[in-house]
Amino acid sequence: MECDDLTDTASVHSNRSGSVQHSVKSTRSTRKKSNMPVSKLRPKAPMISSSNDTVLSVAQMLASKRGDAAIITDLNGGLAGIITDTDVTRRVVAKNLPASSTCVADVMTANPSCVSKSDP
């Protein structure tokens, strides 16, 4: 069973007779549009790393600051991408890549969509 990473939730249940039931719940149609600006979400200050850093150093920073994502900057200080704890799990750990020598630029999500605090 496959599931969209961003909006679907999948579950597998077995009942007493031993048969397995699969279910997928999509949140695409149930999301409510909100007129509340992004600033009302009270976003935290971002954790920032360089695109030259290793996955290990970024993961250690996230762990020490109890974060779940880091903004990745290019050599000029501009936005290059973002890496989340889920990215580390799926793109590094699950593929058995060495975190100490894997460059964060190789596994980050490049060119993420951005919002400002005044966006609804």
Side-chain angles (χ1 to χ4, degrees), residues 42-95:
R42 296 190 285 167
K44 299 178 196 175
M47 294 182 209
I48 301 171
S49 291
S50 169
S51 58
N52 292 332
D53 290 341
T54 65
V55 172
L56 179 61
S57 67
V58 174
Q60 288 172 334
M61 176 192 66
L62 291 175
S64 70
K65 295 181 179 182
R66 299 186 63 141
D68 54 9
I71 301 298
I72 308 301
T73 59
D74 60 21
L75 297 177
N76 298 320
L79 178 64
I82 185 170
I83 190 161
T84 66
D85 51 0
T86 302
D87 292 333
V88 173
T89 301
R90 292 182 179 170
R91 298 176 183 170
V92 181
V93 176
K95 294 181 180 178

Side-chain angles (χ1 to χ4, degrees), residues 9-118:
T9 303
S11 62
V12 177
H13 304 280
S14 61
N15 58 26
R16 289 186 182 143
S17 66
S19 64
V20 177
Q21 299 173 341
H22 300 274
S23 65
V24 176
K25 177 185 174 191
S26 178
T27 58
R28 288 182 184 150
S29 62
T30 60
R31 272 199 193 138
K32 294 179 181 178
K33 297 267 183 183
S34 175
N35 292 331
M36 182 173 48
V38 173
S39 61
K40 295 289 184 186
L41 299 173
R42 296 190 285 167
K44 299 178 196 175
M47 294 182 209
I48 301 171
S49 291
S50 169
S51 58
N52 292 332
D53 290 341
T54 65
V55 172
L56 179 61
S57 67
V58 174
Q60 288 172 334
M61 176 192 66
L62 291 175
S64 70
K65 295 181 179 182
R66 299 186 63 141
D68 54 9
I71 301 298
I72 308 301
T73 59
D74 60 21
L75 297 177
N76 298 320
L79 178 64
I82 185 170
I83 190 161
T84 66
D85 51 0
T86 302
D87 292 333
V88 173
T89 301
R90 292 182 179 170
R91 298 176 183 170
V92 181
V93 176
K95 294 181 180 178
N96 205 25
L97 296 176
S100 61
S101 61
T102 300
C103 185
V104 74
D106 295 335
V107 294
M108 71 181 185
T109 299
N111 306 312
S113 297
C114 300
V115 296
S116 70
K117 285 189 174 186
S118 62

